[in-house]
């Protein structure tokens, strides 16, 4: 059943059950009702109220003229407006385009232009909307006062909450466009269909034993697959309750998790590590939680082991990507193996292929190769980018993940790094090509190569090796100038902090930059 149909079933069947509680900022126990002075307000919605508010938002969007296939972009803080715009757009058959609030105007411009977004909702404290976008019909600016504007969709409008939405979108209809960093220098939009979302929701529902009485503590950003689908959507797919924190804070999260109110928690390794490093963690025990998962980046063995030693809970590591949602997972019951991302989820086919010969590797052969994935959850392609789509798939329809993996005889998969250049910082992907494109646009830069360096805090961080046009300035001044240049063009997490200057970059006989020697020389930090 589609994700939307399932939600509508819950709205009808359990209108009194709590669907969403957006916790007031600053409440350490996460459970108190009402407001403390100066806090952003707490918001609660039962499934019945969620249905009404979504209907109101949908009616509002329809009154603007939003129709099936239109792209609705929004760059909003984590909150109710974000959630309602996304779900109502989906319900109308439009394509939801969530954007990271950290994107500066230069990146935003690319997303709005490339997607041909028709409507754009932005927050007043976010970068100004670029001009000169022919497809963009209207920009809505929402005050950055912390008040959940989306409730205004309901309150201000005379919008009828009872008008039926009309037929549900078809499974093959596109639902959401999420931009991923580009191997070729510009982010590409991964287009996920309603079928993709439904296939993943059903697989995770079964594999992770989601229950109606689950209560999820949600601390992740909503602009990515992890926070939006794996956590929020799939909790609602089960008819469960979501408590949402507007931002992650280690002390608050520890207190929340320790309160006994939650059964499910999902995070990236950087968050798990920060929980362990916080002083308050000494008093915490998470044995009562039903499910705690880790994903979006490799879980270091030390974090896996120390988390269990500290909190009494063995994290369940899983593996996914924007283009597919979740692919592999350690089992809910059974061995959660250290260093492994587990087994294919229901409906997911996985294989390992030798990158040189293209041969499919069996368990008894040399085991490391590129992981390829097939299934109803796999996206159909990049937005209006047939070359990138063609490059992503094999001739027989398998998605090339770009991740190197091996499979043990009992079917457990282990990842061994990436076949491409991708850097993962705090669970967010960075493609060096995109950063290099920005660096080489600087007038002082003749050539640049960006590599990943291991980093205690974020897992990895980008480091830039730069060749100057003419070495005229002090390195410190140049570093400051390049940092500022990157900050003006790229989201902060993509910007290198460390710079190294060389007279030339190592290149092969074809003139291609060789990153191996640069990594050997600089990557250990
Ligand atoms: C924030 N900062 C980062 C960063 N996040 N720097 C590098 N890498 C990151 N990931 C910087 C900010 O720019 C800022 O710097 C400073 O840190 C403080 O910002 P903040 O917003 O207060 O940070 P914080 O709240 O501490 O955020 C850290 C975090 C967050 C780990 C909570 O990054 C996070 O939620 N990551 C999860 C990402 C995620 O959900 N990925 C899923 C992708 S989906 P300055 O200099 O500006 O002050 C996917 C598929 C799958 O991959 O399998 O799930």
């Amino acid at each position: 059943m589609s994700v939307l149909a399932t939600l509508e079933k819950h709205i009808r069947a359990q209108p009194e059950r709590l669907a969403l509680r957006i916790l007031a900022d600053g409440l350490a126990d996460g459970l108190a009702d009402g407001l403390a002075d100066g806090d952003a307000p707490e918001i609660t919605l039962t499934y019945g109220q969620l249905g009404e508010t979504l209907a109101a938002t949908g009616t509002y969007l329809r009154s603007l003229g939003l129709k099936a296939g239109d792209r609705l972009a929004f760059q909003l803080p984590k909150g109710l407006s974000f959630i309602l715009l996304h779900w109502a757009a989906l319900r109308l058959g439009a394509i939801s385009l969530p954007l990271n609030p950290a994107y500066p105007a230069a990146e935003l411009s690319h997303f709005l232009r490339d997607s041909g977004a028709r409507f754009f909702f932005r927050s007043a404290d976010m970068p100004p909307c670029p001009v000169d976008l022919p497809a963009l019909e209207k920009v809505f600016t929402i005050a950055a006062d912390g008040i959940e504007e989306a409730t205004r969709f309901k309150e201000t409008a005379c919008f009828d909450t009872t008008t039926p939405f009309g037929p549900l979108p078809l499974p093959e209809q596109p639902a959401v466009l999420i931009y991923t960093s580009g191997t070729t220098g510009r982010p590409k939009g991964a287009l996920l269909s309603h079928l993709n979302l439904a296939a993943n929701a059903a697989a995770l529902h079964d594999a992770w034993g989601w229950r109606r009485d689950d209560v999820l503590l949600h601390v992740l950003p909503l602009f990515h697959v992890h926070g939006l689908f794996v956590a929020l959507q799939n909790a609602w797919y089960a008819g469960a309750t979501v408590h949402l924190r507007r931002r992650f804070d280690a002390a608050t999260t520890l207190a929340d998790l320790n309160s006994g109110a939650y059964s499910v928690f999902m995070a990236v390794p950087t968050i798990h590590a920060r929980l362990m490093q916080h002083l308050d963690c000494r008093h915490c025990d998470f044995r009562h939680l039903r499910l705690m998962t880790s994903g979006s980046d490799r879980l270091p063995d030390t974090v896996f082991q120390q988390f269990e030693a500290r909190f009494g809970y063995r994290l369940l590591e899983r593996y996914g990507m924007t283009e597919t949602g979740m692919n592999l997972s350690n089992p809910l019951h059974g061995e959660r193996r250290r260093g492994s991302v587990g087994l294919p989820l229901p409906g997911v086919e996985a294989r390992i292929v030798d990158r040189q010969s293209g041969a499919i590797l069996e368990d008894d052969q040399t085991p490391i190769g590129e992981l390829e994935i097939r299934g109803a959850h796999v996206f159909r392609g990049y937005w209006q980018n047939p070359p990138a789509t063609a490059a992503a798939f094999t001739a027989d329809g398998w998605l090339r993940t770009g991740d190197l993996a091996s499979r043990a005889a009992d079917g457990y998969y282990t990842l061994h790094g990436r076949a491409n250049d991708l850097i993962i910082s705090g669970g967010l992907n960075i493609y060096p090509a995109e950063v290099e494109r920005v660096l080489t646009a600087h007038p002082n830069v003749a050539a640049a190569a960006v590599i990943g360096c291991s980093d205690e805090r974020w897992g990895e961080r980008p480091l830039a090796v730069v060749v100057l046009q003419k070495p005229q300035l002090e390195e410190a001044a140049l570093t400051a100038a390049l940092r500022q240049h990157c900050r003006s063009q790229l989201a902060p997490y993509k910007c290198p902090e460390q710079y190294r200057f060389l007279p030339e970059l190592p290149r092969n006989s074809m003139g291609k930059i060789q990153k191996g020697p640069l990594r050997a020389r600089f990557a250990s930090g």
Side-chain angles (χ1 to χ4, degrees), residues 102 219-221 223-227 230 247-249 268 270-271 274 295-297 318-322 325-326 424-430 457-458 460-461 487 491-494 497:
V219 301
L220 290 163
F223 50 78
H224 267 308
V225 161
H226 197 164
V230 188
R247 59 191 62 82
F248 167 72
D249 169 73
V268 299
T270 301
I271 290 182
R274 283 209 208 161
S296 307
D297 193 2
R318 56 59 174 182
Y319 162 78
M321 55 198 291
T322 304
M326 300 304 99
I424 305 184
S425 168
L428 295 173
N429 291 356
I430 304 168
R457 187 156 175 234
W458 300 109
E460 274 184 312
R461 291 295 298 144
R487 283 266 175 163
Y493 69 88
K494 296 180 185 173
E497 306 247 311

Short mmCIF file of all heavy atoms in Angstrom, two decimals, residues 102 219-221 223-227 230 247-249 268 270-271 274 295-297 318-322 325-326 424-430 457-458 460-461 487 491-494 497, ligand 1:
data_model
loop_
_atom_site.label_atom_id
_atom_site.label_comp_id
_atom_site.label_asym_id
_atom_site.label_seq_id
_atom_site.Cartn_x
_atom_site.Cartn_y
_atom_site.Cartn_z
N ALA A 102 21.16 25.30 5.07
CA ALA A 102 22.55 25.80 5.02
C ALA A 102 22.96 26.21 3.61
O ALA A 102 24.04 26.79 3.44
CB ALA A 102 23.50 24.74 5.56
N VAL A 219 15.73 13.60 15.93
CA VAL A 219 16.65 14.73 16.08
C VAL A 219 17.38 15.06 14.77
O VAL A 219 18.22 15.95 14.74
CB VAL A 219 17.72 14.45 17.18
CG1 VAL A 219 17.07 14.19 18.52
CG2 VAL A 219 18.64 13.29 16.80
N LEU A 220 17.08 14.34 13.71
CA LEU A 220 17.81 14.50 12.45
C LEU A 220 17.23 15.62 11.61
O LEU A 220 16.06 15.99 11.76
CB LEU A 220 17.72 13.19 11.64
CG LEU A 220 18.51 12.02 12.22
CD1 LEU A 220 18.03 10.71 11.60
CD2 LEU A 220 20.01 12.21 11.97
N PRO A 221 18.01 16.15 10.66
CA PRO A 221 17.42 17.12 9.74
C PRO A 221 16.35 16.46 8.88
O PRO A 221 16.40 15.24 8.64
CB PRO A 221 18.60 17.55 8.86
CG PRO A 221 19.78 16.76 9.27
CD PRO A 221 19.44 15.88 10.40
N PHE A 223 15.69 17.43 5.69
CA PHE A 223 15.88 17.65 4.25
C PHE A 223 16.58 16.49 3.56
O PHE A 223 17.02 16.61 2.43
CB PHE A 223 16.64 18.97 4.01
CG PHE A 223 17.89 19.10 4.84
CD1 PHE A 223 19.04 18.43 4.46
CD2 PHE A 223 17.91 19.88 5.98
CE1 PHE A 223 20.20 18.53 5.22
CE2 PHE A 223 19.06 19.99 6.75
CZ PHE A 223 20.21 19.31 6.37
N HIS A 224 16.72 15.34 4.25
CA HIS A 224 17.38 14.19 3.65
C HIS A 224 16.56 12.93 3.88
O HIS A 224 15.69 12.88 4.75
CB HIS A 224 18.76 13.99 4.26
CG HIS A 224 19.84 14.67 3.47
ND1 HIS A 224 19.99 14.47 2.13
CD2 HIS A 224 20.82 15.52 3.83
CE1 HIS A 224 21.01 15.17 1.69
NE2 HIS A 224 21.53 15.84 2.71
N VAL A 225 16.95 11.92 3.13
CA VAL A 225 16.28 10.62 3.21
C VAL A 225 16.21 10.08 4.64
O VAL A 225 15.19 9.52 5.05
CB VAL A 225 17.07 9.64 2.29
CG1 VAL A 225 16.79 8.21 2.61
CG2 VAL A 225 16.78 9.95 0.83
N HIS A 226 17.27 10.26 5.41
CA HIS A 226 17.32 9.66 6.74
C HIS A 226 16.21 10.22 7.65
O HIS A 226 15.39 9.48 8.18
CB HIS A 226 18.71 9.90 7.35
CG HIS A 226 19.04 9.00 8.50
ND1 HIS A 226 20.32 8.83 8.97
CD2 HIS A 226 18.28 8.24 9.30
CE1 HIS A 226 20.31 7.99 9.99
NE2 HIS A 226 19.08 7.62 10.21
N GLY A 227 16.22 11.55 7.80
CA GLY A 227 15.25 12.16 8.71
C GLY A 227 13.83 12.15 8.15
O GLY A 227 12.85 11.99 8.88
N VAL A 230 13.28 7.56 6.46
CA VAL A 230 13.59 6.42 7.32
C VAL A 230 12.98 6.64 8.71
O VAL A 230 12.45 5.71 9.32
CB VAL A 230 15.12 6.22 7.44
CG1 VAL A 230 15.43 4.92 8.16
CG2 VAL A 230 15.76 6.22 6.07
N ARG A 247 16.29 20.79 16.75
CA ARG A 247 17.72 20.64 16.46
C ARG A 247 18.32 19.64 17.43
O ARG A 247 17.74 19.36 18.48
CB ARG A 247 18.45 21.99 16.55
CG ARG A 247 18.37 22.69 17.87
CD ARG A 247 18.88 24.12 17.78
NE ARG A 247 18.07 24.91 16.87
CZ ARG A 247 16.91 25.48 17.20
NH1 ARG A 247 16.43 25.35 18.43
NH2 ARG A 247 16.21 26.17 16.32
N PHE A 248 19.48 19.13 17.04
CA PHE A 248 20.15 18.15 17.91
C PHE A 248 20.97 18.86 18.96
O PHE A 248 21.72 19.78 18.67
CB PHE A 248 21.06 17.23 17.08
CG PHE A 248 22.00 16.43 17.94
CD1 PHE A 248 21.50 15.38 18.70
CD2 PHE A 248 23.34 16.74 18.02
CE1 PHE A 248 22.34 14.64 19.52
CE2 PHE A 248 24.20 16.01 18.84
CZ PHE A 248 23.69 14.95 19.59
N ASP A 249 20.83 18.39 20.19
CA ASP A 249 21.66 18.88 21.28
C ASP A 249 21.94 17.66 22.17
O ASP A 249 21.01 16.94 22.56
CB ASP A 249 20.90 19.95 22.07
CG ASP A 249 21.60 20.29 23.36
OD1 ASP A 249 22.64 20.95 23.31
OD2 ASP A 249 21.12 19.85 24.44
N VAL A 268 23.09 9.48 13.09
CA VAL A 268 24.33 9.25 12.33
C VAL A 268 25.46 9.05 13.34
O VAL A 268 25.34 9.45 14.50
CB VAL A 268 24.63 10.45 11.39
CG1 VAL A 268 23.50 10.65 10.40
CG2 VAL A 268 24.84 11.75 12.18
N THR A 270 28.20 10.53 13.97
CA THR A 270 28.67 11.74 14.67
C THR A 270 27.79 12.02 15.90
O THR A 270 28.27 12.42 16.96
CB THR A 270 28.63 12.95 13.71
OG1 THR A 270 29.46 12.66 12.61
CG2 THR A 270 29.12 14.22 14.38
N ILE A 271 26.49 11.81 15.75
CA ILE A 271 25.57 12.05 16.87
C ILE A 271 25.80 11.01 17.97
O ILE A 271 25.89 11.35 19.16
CB ILE A 271 24.11 12.06 16.37
CG1 ILE A 271 23.88 13.32 15.54
CG2 ILE A 271 23.13 11.95 17.53
CD1 ILE A 271 22.47 13.50 15.00
N ARG A 274 28.84 11.90 19.82
CA ARG A 274 28.67 13.08 20.71
C ARG A 274 27.90 12.71 21.97
O ARG A 274 28.15 13.28 23.04
CB ARG A 274 27.92 14.18 19.97
CG ARG A 274 28.82 14.89 19.02
CD ARG A 274 28.34 16.31 18.86
NE ARG A 274 28.71 16.80 17.55
CZ ARG A 274 28.16 17.84 16.98
NH1 ARG A 274 27.18 18.49 17.58
NH2 ARG A 274 28.56 18.25 15.81
N GLY A 295 23.27 5.16 10.76
CA GLY A 295 23.40 5.11 9.31
C GLY A 295 23.86 6.43 8.75
O GLY A 295 24.18 7.36 9.48
N SER A 296 23.92 6.51 7.41
CA SER A 296 24.36 7.67 6.62
C SER A 296 25.87 7.80 6.56
O SER A 296 26.39 8.61 5.81
CB SER A 296 23.78 9.01 7.11
OG SER A 296 22.39 8.94 7.20
N ASP A 297 26.57 7.04 7.38
CA ASP A 297 28.03 7.04 7.35
C ASP A 297 28.47 5.77 8.08
O ASP A 297 27.71 5.22 8.89
CB ASP A 297 28.58 8.28 8.08
CG ASP A 297 30.05 8.51 7.82
OD1 ASP A 297 30.66 7.74 7.06
OD2 ASP A 297 30.60 9.47 8.39
N ARG A 318 22.77 0.16 9.51
CA ARG A 318 22.14 -0.13 8.22
C ARG A 318 22.79 0.72 7.15
O ARG A 318 23.54 1.66 7.45
CB ARG A 318 20.62 0.06 8.31
CG ARG A 318 20.12 1.43 8.78
CD ARG A 318 20.56 2.51 7.95
NE ARG A 318 20.09 3.82 8.18
CZ ARG A 318 20.46 4.83 7.37
NH1 ARG A 318 21.30 4.67 6.38
NH2 ARG A 318 20.00 6.04 7.58
N TYR A 319 22.49 0.41 5.89
CA TYR A 319 23.15 1.11 4.78
C TYR A 319 22.12 1.55 3.74
O TYR A 319 21.27 0.76 3.32
CB TYR A 319 24.17 0.16 4.13
CG TYR A 319 24.59 0.58 2.75
CD1 TYR A 319 25.53 1.61 2.56
CD2 TYR A 319 24.05 -0.04 1.62
CE1 TYR A 319 25.91 2.00 1.29
CE2 TYR A 319 24.43 0.35 0.34
CZ TYR A 319 25.36 1.36 0.19
OH TYR A 319 25.73 1.76 -1.07
N GLY A 320 22.22 2.81 3.36
CA GLY A 320 21.32 3.30 2.32
C GLY A 320 21.96 4.43 1.57
O GLY A 320 23.12 4.78 1.79
N MET A 321 21.20 5.02 0.67
CA MET A 321 21.66 6.20 -0.06
C MET A 321 20.45 6.96 -0.58
O MET A 321 19.34 6.42 -0.64
CB MET A 321 22.63 5.82 -1.19
CG MET A 321 22.09 4.81 -2.17
SD MET A 321 23.41 4.03 -3.16
CE MET A 321 23.92 5.41 -4.16
N THR A 322 20.67 8.21 -0.96
CA THR A 322 19.55 9.04 -1.39
C THR A 322 18.80 8.38 -2.55
O THR A 322 17.57 8.42 -2.60
CB THR A 322 20.09 10.42 -1.84
OG1 THR A 322 20.83 10.97 -0.76
CG2 THR A 322 18.97 11.36 -2.22
N GLY A 325 16.95 5.03 -0.76
CA GLY A 325 16.52 4.75 0.60
C GLY A 325 17.37 3.61 1.14
O GLY A 325 18.53 3.45 0.72
N MET A 326 16.80 2.77 1.98
CA MET A 326 17.62 1.77 2.67
C MET A 326 17.77 0.48 1.86
O MET A 326 16.81 0.01 1.24
CB MET A 326 17.01 1.43 4.03
CG MET A 326 16.92 2.64 4.94
SD MET A 326 18.52 3.46 5.20
CE MET A 326 18.46 4.83 4.06
N ILE A 424 32.30 11.95 3.45
CA ILE A 424 31.09 12.07 4.29
C ILE A 424 31.47 12.78 5.59
O ILE A 424 32.29 12.31 6.36
CB ILE A 424 30.45 10.70 4.60
CG1 ILE A 424 30.16 9.95 3.29
CG2 ILE A 424 29.16 10.89 5.40
CD1 ILE A 424 29.43 8.63 3.48
N SER A 425 30.84 13.94 5.81
CA SER A 425 31.14 14.74 6.99
C SER A 425 29.90 14.82 7.86
O SER A 425 28.89 15.38 7.45
CB SER A 425 31.55 16.15 6.55
OG SER A 425 31.59 17.03 7.64
N GLY A 426 29.97 14.21 9.02
CA GLY A 426 28.83 14.25 9.94
C GLY A 426 27.56 13.73 9.29
O GLY A 426 26.47 14.21 9.58
N GLY A 427 27.67 12.76 8.40
CA GLY A 427 26.50 12.17 7.75
C GLY A 427 26.06 12.90 6.50
O GLY A 427 25.08 12.52 5.87
N LEU A 428 26.76 13.96 6.12
CA LEU A 428 26.40 14.70 4.91
C LEU A 428 27.44 14.45 3.81
O LEU A 428 28.64 14.48 4.09
CB LEU A 428 26.31 16.20 5.22
CG LEU A 428 25.21 16.59 6.20
CD1 LEU A 428 25.31 18.07 6.56
CD2 LEU A 428 23.83 16.31 5.61
N ASN A 429 26.95 14.21 2.60
CA ASN A 429 27.85 13.88 1.49
C ASN A 429 28.47 15.13 0.87
O ASN A 429 27.78 16.12 0.63
CB ASN A 429 27.08 13.15 0.39
CG ASN A 429 26.67 11.76 0.82
OD1 ASN A 429 27.02 11.32 1.91
ND2 ASN A 429 25.92 11.08 -0.01
N ILE A 430 29.74 15.01 0.55
CA ILE A 430 30.45 16.11 -0.15
C ILE A 430 31.18 15.48 -1.32
O ILE A 430 32.00 14.56 -1.13
CB ILE A 430 31.50 16.77 0.77
CG1 ILE A 430 30.85 17.27 2.07
CG2 ILE A 430 32.21 17.91 0.04
CD1 ILE A 430 31.86 17.67 3.13
N ARG A 457 35.90 14.73 14.96
CA ARG A 457 34.57 15.25 15.25
C ARG A 457 33.54 14.84 14.21
O ARG A 457 32.42 14.47 14.52
CB ARG A 457 34.68 16.77 15.32
CG ARG A 457 33.44 17.44 15.79
CD ARG A 457 33.75 18.81 16.39
NE ARG A 457 32.51 19.47 16.71
CZ ARG A 457 32.18 20.67 16.30
NH1 ARG A 457 33.02 21.36 15.55
NH2 ARG A 457 31.02 21.19 16.63
N TRP A 458 33.91 14.91 12.93
CA TRP A 458 32.93 14.72 11.85
C TRP A 458 33.12 13.43 11.07
O TRP A 458 32.41 13.20 10.10
CB TRP A 458 33.01 15.91 10.87
CG TRP A 458 32.74 17.24 11.49
CD1 TRP A 458 33.65 18.23 11.72
CD2 TRP A 458 31.48 17.73 11.97
NE1 TRP A 458 33.03 19.30 12.31
CE2 TRP A 458 31.71 19.03 12.48
CE3 TRP A 458 30.18 17.21 12.02
CZ2 TRP A 458 30.70 19.82 13.03
CZ3 TRP A 458 29.17 17.98 12.57
CH2 TRP A 458 29.43 19.25 13.07
N GLU A 460 34.98 12.64 8.66
CA GLU A 460 35.88 13.12 7.60
C GLU A 460 35.64 14.60 7.39
O GLU A 460 34.52 15.08 7.59
CB GLU A 460 35.55 12.43 6.27
CG GLU A 460 36.21 11.11 6.05
CD GLU A 460 35.88 10.57 4.66
OE1 GLU A 460 34.71 10.56 4.26
OE2 GLU A 460 36.82 10.17 3.96
N ARG A 461 36.65 15.30 6.92
CA ARG A 461 36.51 16.69 6.49
C ARG A 461 37.29 16.89 5.20
O ARG A 461 38.31 16.24 4.98
CB ARG A 461 37.05 17.66 7.57
CG ARG A 461 36.25 17.76 8.85
CD ARG A 461 34.87 18.34 8.66
NE ARG A 461 34.89 19.70 8.16
CZ ARG A 461 34.01 20.19 7.30
NH1 ARG A 461 33.03 19.43 6.82
NH2 ARG A 461 34.08 21.44 6.87
N ARG A 487 32.78 29.80 1.40
CA ARG A 487 31.60 30.07 2.23
C ARG A 487 30.52 30.85 1.47
O ARG A 487 29.34 30.73 1.75
CB ARG A 487 32.00 30.89 3.46
CG ARG A 487 32.67 30.07 4.52
CD ARG A 487 31.63 29.63 5.50
NE ARG A 487 32.18 28.73 6.48
CZ ARG A 487 31.60 28.44 7.62
NH1 ARG A 487 30.45 28.98 7.94
NH2 ARG A 487 32.12 27.60 8.47
N ALA A 491 27.47 25.43 0.98
CA ALA A 491 27.03 25.23 2.36
C ALA A 491 28.26 25.03 3.24
O ALA A 491 29.24 24.41 2.81
CB ALA A 491 26.13 24.01 2.43
N PRO A 492 28.23 25.54 4.49
CA PRO A 492 29.44 25.52 5.33
C PRO A 492 30.06 24.13 5.49
O PRO A 492 31.28 24.02 5.52
CB PRO A 492 28.93 26.05 6.68
CG PRO A 492 27.72 26.85 6.36
CD PRO A 492 27.11 26.26 5.12
N TYR A 493 29.23 23.09 5.58
CA TYR A 493 29.82 21.77 5.82
C TYR A 493 30.67 21.28 4.64
O TYR A 493 31.51 20.40 4.79
CB TYR A 493 28.73 20.74 6.18
CG TYR A 493 27.81 20.36 5.03
CD1 TYR A 493 28.14 19.32 4.17
CD2 TYR A 493 26.62 21.03 4.82
CE1 TYR A 493 27.31 18.98 3.12
CE2 TYR A 493 25.79 20.71 3.77
CZ TYR A 493 26.14 19.69 2.93
OH TYR A 493 25.32 19.35 1.88
N LYS A 494 30.49 21.89 3.45
CA LYS A 494 31.27 21.47 2.28
C LYS A 494 32.60 22.22 2.18
O LYS A 494 33.44 21.89 1.36
CB LYS A 494 30.49 21.76 0.99
CG LYS A 494 29.19 20.99 0.85
CD LYS A 494 28.51 21.35 -0.47
CE LYS A 494 27.17 20.69 -0.61
NZ LYS A 494 26.43 21.15 -1.79
N GLU A 497 38.49 23.58 5.61
CA GLU A 497 39.12 24.48 6.59
C GLU A 497 40.62 24.47 6.36
O GLU A 497 41.29 25.46 6.57
CB GLU A 497 38.88 23.95 8.00
CG GLU A 497 37.43 23.71 8.34
CD GLU A 497 36.98 24.66 9.39
OE1 GLU A 497 37.69 24.76 10.39
OE2 GLU A 497 35.93 25.29 9.16
C1 LIG B 1 27.08 21.18 11.01
N1 LIG B 1 28.31 21.64 10.76
C2 LIG B 1 28.98 20.71 10.07
C3 LIG B 1 28.09 19.64 9.89
N2 LIG B 1 26.91 19.97 10.50
N3 LIG B 1 30.23 20.68 9.59
C4 LIG B 1 30.61 19.59 8.94
N4 LIG B 1 29.82 18.52 8.71
C5 LIG B 1 28.54 18.51 9.19
N5 LIG B 1 27.74 17.48 8.98
C6 LIG B 1 28.91 22.91 11.16
C7 LIG B 1 28.05 24.11 10.84
O1 LIG B 1 28.27 24.58 9.54
C8 LIG B 1 28.51 25.10 11.89
O2 LIG B 1 29.75 25.64 11.51
C9 LIG B 1 28.77 24.22 13.09
O3 LIG B 1 29.03 22.89 12.58
C10 LIG B 1 27.61 24.16 14.03
O4 LIG B 1 26.43 23.95 13.26
P1 LIG B 1 25.17 23.21 13.85
O5 LIG B 1 24.08 23.20 12.85
O6 LIG B 1 24.88 23.76 15.22
O7 LIG B 1 25.76 21.76 13.98
P2 LIG B 1 25.19 20.61 14.77
O8 LIG B 1 23.79 20.87 15.20
O9 LIG B 1 26.17 20.26 15.80
O10 LIG B 1 25.11 19.49 13.62
C11 LIG B 1 25.84 18.38 13.65
C12 LIG B 1 24.94 17.20 13.28
C13 LIG B 1 24.34 17.48 11.89
C14 LIG B 1 25.79 15.96 13.28
C15 LIG B 1 23.83 17.07 14.30
O11 LIG B 1 25.39 17.67 10.95
C16 LIG B 1 23.42 16.40 11.45
O12 LIG B 1 22.29 16.34 11.89
N6 LIG B 1 23.89 15.50 10.57
C17 LIG B 1 23.08 14.44 10.02
C18 LIG B 1 23.02 14.54 8.55
C19 LIG B 1 22.00 13.56 7.95
O13 LIG B 1 20.90 13.44 8.42
N7 LIG B 1 22.40 12.89 6.91
C20 LIG B 1 21.54 11.95 6.22
C21 LIG B 1 21.76 12.03 4.75
S1 LIG B 1 20.75 10.79 3.98
P3 LIG B 1 30.00 27.20 11.45
O14 LIG B 1 31.45 27.30 11.12
O15 LIG B 1 29.10 27.69 10.34
O16 LIG B 1 29.64 27.71 12.81
C22 LIG B 1 21.82 9.56 3.59
C23 LIG B 1 21.23 8.26 3.23
C24 LIG B 1 21.30 7.36 4.41
O17 LIG B 1 22.98 9.70 3.72
O18 LIG B 1 21.78 6.23 4.30
O19 LIG B 1 20.84 7.77 5.47
#
